[in-house]
Amino acid sequence: MATKDSIITLPNPRLRERSHKVREVTDAVRKLAADMENATLDWEASRDHELGVALAAVQINHLVRLVVVRNDFEDKQDRSFLTLINPEVIQTSGKPEYDHEGCLSVKDVYGLVPRYPAVKIKALNLQGQEMRVKAEGFLARVLQHEIDHTNGILFVDHVTSREGFFHLNEDGHLKPVAYEKVLAAGILDEGL
Ligand code: ZN
């Protein structure tokens, strides 16, 4: 079983690679999805102020276009997930809006990231059937973040200003962090 220790973090170059398409939804794919859920919940159990919202397979070092997303972002007791195989954004609407984002693969750094407020996603489910998801608000943001992972893109790549990086305090509040520190941590692919 994958655990929080299976999660890879920047500057691991694997996170910048494009994942492969799932050709057939087999038991191996379902096992990988279960591993991803376990790793996410195990990570959450180690954090006081954060919810393990979602994970892409590359984050446990499998270059597979597979994403798991928590069904309920409000209730930690709900440990169920939605699985999306080969997910693609097929439609966006509205103008991108800025909000804070974090990532299990970016240690301790948060960023202000623009995302479309509403998206339509096409994917396969665990039975190999095609599905569509219409999402807005936080779920739309999460899906754009996760689909980026399948293409080797991280939220830090979307931060548009040197003032757009933050740390999480012990009390759960975000505090600005110096751009130079972010750069030194090897989190950015290239400087801003
Ligand atoms: Zn992430």
Side-chain angles (χ1 to χ4, degrees):
M1 249 311 168
T3 65
K4 67 176 187 319
D5 300 321
S6 315
I7 297 171
I8 61 171
T9 57
L10 284 178
N12 188 323
R14 250 206 146 201
L15 289 163
R16 305 273 187 199
E17 287 182 44
R18 241 182 112 81
S19 293
H20 309 292
K21 206 165 176 177
V22 174
R23 298 280 162 208
E24 198 189 340
V25 181
T26 59
D27 283 347
V29 172
R30 287 184 274 267
K31 160 83 167 63
L32 178 56
D35 268 345
M36 289 158 65
E37 293 177 10
N38 198 69
T40 306
L41 293 170
D42 187 46
W43 179 89
E44 179 177 290
S46 72
R47 318 288 290 198
D48 286 336
H49 303 290
E50 292 157 292
L51 186 73
V53 165
L55 201 76
V58 61
Q59 295 181 267
I60 58 165
N61 213 11
H62 290 266
L63 286 174
V64 176
R65 303 183 82 81
L66 175 58
V67 162
V68 297
V69 182
R70 206 68 171 267
N71 279 316
D72 190 332
F73 297 140
E74 308 294 325
D75 180 9
K76 275 195 176 196
Q77 306 308 316
D78 184 340
R79 295 160 70 87
S80 67
F81 288 79
L82 171 71
T83 305
L84 301 165
I85 299 164
N86 301 333
E88 274 176 70
V89 177
I90 52 171
Q91 196 185 305
T92 62
S93 36
K95 276 207 309 204
E97 294 170 2
Y98 282 80
D99 206 348
H100 293 101
E101 266 178 47
C103 179
L104 278 61
S105 293
V106 184
K107 272 191 184 156
D108 302 326
V109 172
Y110 284 71
L112 264 182
V113 178
R115 299 284 187 192
Y116 291 103
V119 290
K120 213 182 276 179
I121 309 289
K122 183 176 93 171
L124 299 177
N125 67 15
L126 279 178
Q127 283 70 47
Q129 296 149 338
E130 194 174 300
M131 60 188 273
R132 306 268 162 136
V133 179
K134 266 171 95 172
E136 45 187 58
F138 186 61
L139 178 60
R141 175 170 293 276
V142 169
L143 290 171
Q144 290 167 83
H145 176 122
E146 296 306 322
I147 291 171
D148 268 0
H149 272 304
T150 69
N151 294 319
I153 299 165
L154 290 115
F155 81 84
V156 291
D157 304 328
H158 292 300
V159 175
T160 53
S161 96
R162 293 184 172 202
E163 289 75 41
F165 296 98
F166 300 83
H167 265 321
L168 195 64
N169 275 353
E170 301 86 72
D171 61 1
H173 291 103
L174 291 169
K175 192 184 125 202
V177 60
Y179 169 76
E180 289 68 26
K181 274 197 179 168
V182 176
L183 207 56
I187 279 169
L188 292 172
D189 208 18
E190 46 192 86
L192 269 174

